[in-house]
Amino acid sequence: MRPEIMALAPYRQGKQAGADAFKLSSNENPFDPLPAVLAALEKTTPVNRYPDATAGRLRDALGARYGVTADQVHVASGSVAILYQLVQAAASVGDEVVYAWRSFEAYPGLVLVAGATGVQVPLTAEGGHDLDAMADAVTDRTRAIIVCTPNNPTGPIITSTDFAAFLARVPADVLVILDEAYAEFVTDGDAVDGLAERIYESHPNVVVLRTFSKAYGLAGLRVGYAIGQEKVLDAARATGIPLSVTSAAEVAAIASLDDAAEAELRQRVAVIVERRNTLVSALRAQGWDIPESQSNFVWLATGQRTDEVAAAFSAADVIVRPFSGDGIRISVGEHESVEKVLQIAESVVEPLQ
């Protein structure tokens, strides 16, 4: 075995919760699947048949939605799978991949698996990307840059203006992966929107990632997508595991794009956004320094007391996501969970001050 792989900690998802606990550790959608999705799944392809390896119907639907060809759409088993594919295609031994830190915890591992070197650029004091520092970190060994907006696990977005200035400094032959897994929860009008702005057209080195796992509530079916230039996505397709998107996942994703389903989805997202804003305001009133979250989670900067504070939540049957020595991410969940989160947070905030 490669020694660097043996030293790499496996990816660990948010802790599972008991039947009576609130699971707020994995940024899942607290709502049941959309009725249109459930109806479509009842008619899905039998499981004794292989799925369409190209996810052609879904790629056609997404292409029509965003005004691109099906070849400019790539579908895989979650946007994280596409991240792995793109990094594998772009970087190898001796190459570098730049990303902000702390950000999505899978980034270090996927870079190392490719054999490349990760270059971690610290977040700003507000929990956002320091794009100037990231641009400064680019060298002749840089093959890819991962940009996460809203940033997981802290929550802030990158503005359209700042991202444009950043791209102006990045060489045209460096792949820029714009990870927008939580884009549907963004309400800030200044936020970059890779698909609405069609950034991949003016900057062919940019690929935009989205997922059906978060806002669409299909986390258990594993389906995400990328939009960009065909040649770049062909490279990702070449590194992917064949037949990784199931027929059920494709059917559910297509049903989610129906106009009626979309309208209901937007209503659900609006509810989650309202709960998020309530959490942020109330936590700040308690004395917490909360970053400006534009996602479906909030971030508590608990530092060296992270494990202790996480244990307090767990003892009260609220399962959160701790990052030892750094902070705690709390997903926006059921309505009933909000007050409980606030009660626990208030009980531990004073010792932190």
Side-chain angles (χ1 to χ4, degrees):
M1 298 296 173
R2 290 164 51 191
E4 66 272 26
I5 297 298
M6 297 302 293
L8 177 65
Y11 173 81
R12 289 182 171 83
Q13 70 179 121
K15 182 179 177 181
Q16 299 300 306
D20 297 327
F22 290 110
K23 183 173 183 284
L24 308 180
S25 56
S26 296
N27 298 342
E28 296 154 329
N29 193 316
F31 291 104
D32 290 332
L34 293 165
V37 171
L38 292 175
L41 286 173
E42 291 178 354
K43 304 173 183 178
T44 191
T45 303
V47 295
N48 63 313
R49 303 295 184 187
Y50 282 116
D52 173 8
T54 69
R57 291 176 57 227
L58 178 55
R59 289 169 57 217
D60 286 341
L62 289 167
R65 179 186 180 90
Y66 294 112
V68 298
T69 68
D71 288 333
Q72 290 178 278
V73 181
H74 177 42
V75 174
S77 53
S79 57
V80 66
I82 303 176
L83 275 165
Y84 270 89
Q85 294 166 8
L86 287 168
V87 172
Q88 289 274 359
S92 186
V93 178
D95 298 330
E96 295 177 345
V97 177
V98 176
Y99 54 90
W101 196 252
R102 173 174 294 275
S103 195
F104 181 33
E105 61 266 32
Y107 293 163
L110 64 90
V111 173
L112 190 147
V113 169
T117 299
V119 178
Q120 298 182 350
V121 178
L123 297 174
T124 66
E126 294 75 29
H129 281 48
D130 187 339
L131 292 179
D132 284 335
M134 292 179 72
D136 290 340
V138 173
T139 70
D140 58 3
R141 296 174 59 193
T142 305
R143 295 294 176 266
I145 306 172
I146 308 174
V147 178
C148 185
T149 179
N151 185 55
N152 175 16
T154 55
I157 53 93
I158 293 169
T159 69
S160 179
T161 299
D162 287 347
F163 192 64
F166 169 72
L167 287 179
R169 296 188 57 194
V170 174
D173 61 350
V174 172
L175 176 66
V176 178
I177 305 169
L178 185 59
D179 187 352
E180 295 186 327
Y182 300 92
E184 290 82 4
F185 300 104
V186 174
T187 57
D188 188 334
D190 292 330
V192 66
D193 185 327
L195 298 185
E197 297 176 45
R198 306 181 73 87
I199 295 174
Y200 46 84
E201 292 182 342
S202 56
H203 296 275
N205 59 322
V206 174
V207 173
V208 182
L209 301 188
R210 294 285 179 92
T211 184
F212 287 94
S213 295
K214 307 304 180 184
Y216 287 89
L218 302 184
L221 289 175
R222 308 304 303 129
V223 56
Y225 61 98
I227 292 183
Q229 294 299 313
E230 179 180 350
K231 288 184 178 180
V232 178
L233 297 183
D234 279 345
R237 286 187 269 262
T239 65
I241 298 174
L243 302 164
S244 63
V245 178
T246 67
S247 298
E250 183 179 20
V251 165
I254 292 171
S256 298
L257 298 174
D258 177 81
D259 288 343
E262 275 280 309
E264 186 170 355
L265 174 77
R266 286 192 292 271
Q267 293 175 357
R268 293 181 173 191
V269 167
V271 171
I272 294 172
V273 167
E274 182 180 4
R275 289 179 192 165
R276 175 195 74 199
N277 294 342
T278 297
L279 267 174
V280 170
S281 296
L283 288 168
R284 286 175 175 168
Q286 291 177 358
W288 292 95
D289 184 12
I290 305 295
E292 193 61 46
S293 178
Q294 284 285 298
S295 191
N296 67 333
F297 53 79
V298 296
W299 174 253
L300 303 184
T302 46
Q304 296 304 311
R305 291 194 57 214
T306 293
D307 294 343
E308 176 188 343
V309 174
F313 278 96
S314 183
D317 288 332
V318 176
I319 309 304
V320 296
R321 187 63 180 271
F323 299 90
S324 293
D326 201 349
I328 294 173
R329 188 190 68 199
I330 304 176
S331 305
V332 178
E334 297 83 354
H335 171 72
E336 296 80 6
S337 71
V338 174
E339 187 58 37
K340 196 162 188 179
V341 167
L342 292 174
Q343 290 173 357
I344 303 164
E346 187 171 28
S347 73
V348 296
V349 67
E350 288 299 333
L352 287 169
Q353 293 177 343

